[in-house]
Amino acid sequence: GIQVEQSPPDLILQEGANSTLRCNFSDSVNNLQWFHQNPWGQLINLFYIPSGTKQNGRLSATTVATERYSLLYISSSQTTDSGVYFCAVEGSYNTDKLIFGTGTRLQVFP
Amino acid sequence: EPEVTQTPSHQVTQMGQEVILRCVPISNHLYFYWYRQILGQKVEFLVSFYNNEISEKSEIFDDQFSVERPDGSNFTLKIRSTKLEDSAMYFCASSRDNYEQYFGPGTRLTVT
């Protein structure tokens, strides 16, 4: 099955810093989503981005499907950005399940 | 904005007992999913459901598990005889068109 790898596994930032999170996947995909898991365990949809670039406030994401990676950019980080960021993909071949990566744990300090 | 809701938020049960986790998907969605996340690990797919039948299931989803859409709004996951290793956060998700999936807040199941 598809392998999804995220880097870095852990990231520590001071408030106001920028960061880039990476997601690599091993095969072609129909769907790619980024989620933020907050300290209460909730999964918050950030982006649905099987290809191209999207922006939402301080967050933006880019997926280059032909090269099998996606990037999540966080600018001017805030303490509320802390948590785990997951990338999840749905393969192209007769499947509708999302396969999650192992996540990037982000801690933002004031 | 419509949301997926799940009840209860936390369930504690004894090993061997049956539990039913409930979900109300977004109202115009047609595809429904259950995932689980063991503490500290990544989120894993359990099952997908469309048109009143299972469309895909993982190896985890064995005979101990079942899903049902008993009416037009609820989507349930039943675990027949719980084991300690079933302790996890269970997420329900729904999708209108089998593309973007929207997740509920989760039910934390603790088996003692």
Side-chain angles (χ1 to χ4, degrees):
Chain A
I2 291 182
Q3 304 299 311
V4 183
E5 294 181 357
Q6 292 186 243
S7 60
D10 295 280
L11 191 55
I12 300 173
L13 298 175
Q14 194 151 27
E15 213 168 19
N18 302 328
S19 59
T20 300
L21 283 58
R22 187 175 180 104
C23 172
N24 291 333
F25 44 95
S26 60
D27 207 340
S28 58
V29 298
N30 282 336
N31 175 7
L32 188 146
Q33 294 183 237
W34 281 97
F35 296 90
H36 174 215
Q37 187 165 41
N38 64 23
W40 297 271
Q42 296 176 326
L43 283 170
I44 310 300
N45 283 43
L46 296 178
F47 294 102
Y48 167 72
I49 187 164
S51 64
T53 297
K54 288 186 177 179
Q55 179 152 9
N56 184 4
R58 295 181 296 104
L59 274 58
S60 64
T62 295
T63 297
V64 183
T66 52
E67 297 187 22
R68 298 181 183 165
Y69 73 89
S70 183
L71 302 174
L72 177 69
Y73 305 96
I74 305 173
S75 65
S76 304
S77 57
Q78 301 176 357
T79 55
T80 51
D81 294 333
S82 297
V84 182
Y85 289 81
F86 288 104
C87 164
V89 304
E90 176 190 318
S92 297
Y93 308 111
N94 196 30
T95 179
D96 52 6
K97 67 184 178 191
L98 284 176
I99 299 170
F100 281 72
T102 50
T104 292
R105 181 173 300 277
L106 174 65
Q107 297 179 74
V108 181
F109 290 97
Chain B
E1 187 174 325
E3 294 179 333
V4 177
T5 59
Q6 291 186 241
T7 54
S9 56
H10 191 188
Q11 172 100 41
V12 181
T13 190
Q14 287 191 324
M15 202 166 48
Q17 296 297 303
E18 176 182 286
V19 294
I20 298 177
L21 309 183
R22 292 183 166 81
C23 168
V24 179
I26 295 173
S27 63
N28 63 345
H29 285 190
L30 302 175
Y31 299 82
F32 313 111
Y33 314 84
W34 284 101
Y35 293 80
R36 80 172 186 189
Q37 183 183 31
I38 294 171
L39 187 64
Q41 298 186 21
K42 62 181 179 180
V43 179
E44 303 172 288
F45 169 79
L46 290 178
V47 66
S48 58
F49 192 86
Y50 170 71
N51 202 25
N52 277 321
E53 60 183 30
I54 290 173
S55 47
E56 188 173 358
K57 60 183 181 180
S58 72
E59 295 172 350
I60 303 167
F61 194 89
D62 59 21
D63 292 343
Q64 166 195 25
F65 293 91
S66 62
V67 290
E68 192 178 30
R69 187 154 163 82
D71 53 41
S73 58
N74 290 283
F75 180 51
T76 61
L77 174 69
K78 182 191 290 186
I79 309 175
R80 250 178 284 282
S81 177
T82 50
K83 306 171 193 164
L84 293 176
E85 55 264 37
D86 294 327
S87 294
M89 180 79 101
Y90 288 81
F91 292 102
C92 172
S94 71
S95 172
R96 181 173 55 85
D97 50 13
N98 202 25
Y99 287 105
E100 185 169 10
Q101 296 184 24
Y102 293 84
F103 281 68
T107 292
R108 186 170 300 281
L109 177 65
T110 303
V111 183
T112 62

